[in-house]
Amino acid sequence: MRGAIIHAPGDVRVEERPDPELVEPTDAVIEVTATCVCGSDLWPYRGIEDVHGPAPMGHEYVGVVREVGSDVSTLQEGDFVVGSFFASDNTCEICLAGYQSRCVDARPMGAIGTQAQFARIPLADGTLVATPGMPDDDLIPGLLAASDVLGTGWFGASAAEVGPRKTVAVVGDGAVGLLAVLAARQLGAERIIAMSRHDDRQTLAREFGATDIVSERGEAGAARIRELTNGLGAHSVVEAVGTQESMMQAIRSTRPGGHVGYVGVSHGVQLPGDELFFSEVHLHGGPAPVRRFLPRLIDLILSRQIDPGKVFDLDLPLDRAADGYRAMDERRAIKALLRP
């Protein structure tokens, strides 16, 4: 089969890979219908994370089940499925508490690489959610978004305790930040402030439900949020970048007693204990337990109540994966969809 492989920073190629096979009786093999490039894929692409290439890439996927292991009981060949970027058993105590991304047997899908024609999915019963029948083609991008960026944005909003009568600020205007705006709208936020400097992303943020746009960053951005909230700060803030500046911007934009949901993959973030102590801000986040939200998100997408697939503004065949990486790295695209 064909699959995306990273060899070094800036060097992604689509090459022949071995066809996946069942390894454990709890596995399934799917034919990938659509996959995509994630903002977190850009960390190794830019050399910010070490590249131990050649290594497979990709952790977002939807597809059709082609083979199931002998212990798989909830899926059958021909099912269209959506999965999370972490495989999980969905039965351990951690999973049952709603944190499937930290399952006692969690398996990172990035190590398998789903930017490919086929993929082996470990712990298939706990990881994959089948749709009722084959979805319409125009719903595929939205369902793909559910496998990571929508689920991650939703977790960010949930961790930030977004709800009615609350003001929400979202730090970051990538796909996760934009879909955190959508999630905040669905969760009933009264006011949603998107922090963005890019016209196309501001437009999409407003379409998803943003009521205000703030272009300032860092301390200036936090000051602008306080100005818009009578000097208090937002009730809920979603941090969707993962840098020192974005985390401090999120904390300083939050009122005392408020909540920060952080879902940007942290790189070099260090929190000043004294400032955090006196801020009286709640912090909660980490790798999103997407599996917790998948049934609800799939239902919202199939019933056409939400259209998260709009974050994909570049649609390419898998063989042009390198073009997708370049476009996102150069901010010419919000998110690149790849079709094997």
Side-chain angles (χ1 to χ4, degrees):
M1 71 171 183
R2 304 280 287 166
I5 303 289
I6 189 167
H7 288 260
D11 184 6
V12 171
R13 312 172 200 172
V14 176
E15 302 174 337
E16 288 295 326
R17 291 181 51 194
D19 290 341
E21 298 179 347
L22 299 175
V23 175
E24 299 175 301
T26 51
D27 289 348
V29 171
I30 68 168
E31 182 175 358
V32 178
T33 301
T35 181
C36 53
V37 181
C38 184
S40 62
D41 292 331
L42 297 181
W43 293 106
Y45 183 79
R46 291 169 172 161
I48 298 170
E49 288 182 359
D50 291 339
V51 176
H52 302 288
M57 293 296 287
H59 53 264
E60 298 160 279
Y61 56 97
V62 294
V64 178
V65 175
R66 294 304 182 205
E67 190 176 4
V68 296
S70 59
D71 287 353
V72 175
S73 61
T74 64
L75 303 165
Q76 57 187 358
E77 293 180 24
D79 282 347
F80 187 92
V81 291
V82 184
S84 169
F85 61 89
F86 267 104
S88 59
D89 61 31
N90 208 32
T91 59
C92 74
E93 290 186 30
I94 304 302
C95 286
L96 294 178
Y99 290 88
Q100 292 92 336
S101 55
R102 304 309 303 147
C103 172
V104 296
D105 194 17
R107 317 278 184 92
M109 291 302 300
I112 288 174
T114 62
Q115 291 168 9
Q117 292 175 299
F118 296 88
R120 179 179 71 88
I121 312 299
L123 305 170
D125 278 334
T127 303
L128 300 174
V129 178
T131 61
M134 194 64 61
D136 294 338
D137 286 346
D138 67 312
L139 295 176
I140 299 298
L143 293 168
L144 176 60
S147 76
D148 183 352
V149 285
L150 174 60
T152 296
W154 202 281
F155 175 56
S158 175
E161 298 287 334
V162 171
R165 298 182 300 281
K166 288 187 176 181
T167 294
V168 180
V170 177
V171 180
D173 64 356
V176 169
L178 291 168
L179 291 173
V181 170
L182 182 152
R185 176 69 175 272
Q186 289 294 311
L187 293 170
E190 181 176 292
R191 189 180 191 186
I192 304 169
I193 305 168
M195 309 191 84
S196 172
R197 290 181 170 182
H198 304 91
D199 290 343
D200 56 340
R201 301 175 188 225
Q202 292 175 6
T203 298
L204 190 52
R206 288 195 181 278
E207 189 172 343
F208 282 157
T211 56
D212 302 83
I213 302 291
V214 166
S215 60
E216 293 88 347
R217 289 183 179 174
E219 181 51 44
R224 180 62 177 146
I225 296 295
R226 293 193 297 271
E227 181 183 333
L228 291 171
T229 55
N230 299 317
L232 300 176
H235 299 90
S236 303
V237 178
V238 180
E239 189 285 316
V241 182
T243 64
Q244 180 74 25
E245 181 185 64
S246 63
M247 180 63 90
M248 296 313 303
Q249 181 177 329
I251 293 169
R252 291 166 180 167
S253 297
T254 309
R255 66 181 58 197
H259 295 76
V260 174
Y262 58 94
V263 290
V265 182
S266 296
H267 286 77
V269 175
Q270 297 184 356
L271 301 181
D274 55 345
E275 181 177 350
L276 188 61
F277 182 80
F278 286 102
S279 72
E280 293 205 42
V281 166
H282 300 76
L283 297 178
H284 181 41
V290 170
R291 180 61 181 81
R292 185 208 305 181
F293 305 106
L294 274 182
R296 181 180 182 185
L297 299 182
I298 289 171
D299 181 65
L300 288 171
I301 293 163
L302 293 180
S303 61
R304 299 184 183 273
Q305 296 180 61
I306 61 173
D307 186 7
K310 290 180 179 178
V311 296
F312 294 105
D313 54 350
L314 183 60
D315 194 323
L316 297 170
L318 175 64
D319 280 343
R320 291 185 59 194
D323 293 337
Y325 276 81
R326 276 193 295 272
M328 288 179 60
D329 180 44
E330 296 168 4
R331 284 191 169 269
R332 292 183 286 108
I334 298 172
K335 192 164 179 67
L337 185 149
L338 305 174
R339 298 183 188 268

